[in-house]
Amino acid sequence: MTTVPQAAPLRADCIADSAGGLTFDVTAPQANDTAHLVLRHREGPEEVTLPLAPAARGRLRAALPSSVVLPEGHWDAYASVTAEDPDARVVSGAMDVHPSASRVPYVTRQGNLSVESRLGRVQEDAA
């Protein structure tokens, strides 16, 4: 019996700026025009789909500007880089988080990338 090797999971580095914007750099050896990163709200049906665009050789980039509303809660990151691949959980890479960021990327117990949006707490802290 032969086994088909599984593709390595997609890995994303994430930068959170002080204004609440997020930048995701996904390592992907190949991609097509439909490549995207999806943030899915863990506690509800909401999701935000971000296009992944070439950034460097073997890297794709998605940006979530601070102007895009991301309700409070935990958001899990998924990505699809080819038309044949369904959205798959993204493994966490390096993270650069500004101390006052209202959207904080973090690593789950399973090693996946998630984001906590905590708009209310940041506003309370600023008051």
Side-chain angles (χ1 to χ4, degrees):
M1 181 173 164
T2 60
T3 59
V4 177
Q6 288 188 327
L10 296 174
R11 179 175 303 277
D13 298 335
C14 187
I15 298 172
D17 64 36
S18 61
L22 297 173
T23 302
F24 302 91
D25 284 331
V26 178
T27 301
Q30 61 181 357
N32 63 20
D33 294 341
T34 63
H36 60 272
L37 184 127
V38 178
L39 295 175
R40 291 192 181 127
H41 197 273
R42 199 177 294 164
E43 294 88 25
E46 299 94 357
E47 67 179 34
V48 175
T49 301
L50 306 169
L52 283 164
R57 185 178 174 102
R59 304 281 284 175
L60 301 171
R61 180 169 289 161
L64 178 68
S66 59
S67 59
V68 173
V69 175
L70 194 64
E72 279 200 20
H74 296 269
W75 296 76
D76 295 326
Y78 294 82
S80 179
V81 295
T82 64
E84 298 81 31
D85 293 332
D87 290 345
R89 265 316 241 131
V90 175
V91 175
S92 180
M95 286 188 254
D96 182 5
V97 181
H98 192 278
S100 64
S102 59
R103 299 170 180 174
V104 180
Y106 66 94
V107 183
T108 67
R109 289 184 190 129
Q110 296 78 25
N112 297 317
L113 176 62
S114 289
V115 175
E116 180 183 8
S117 179
R118 50 187 186 186
L119 301 174
R121 284 186 235 158
V122 171
Q123 291 169 353
E124 289 171 11
D125 292 343

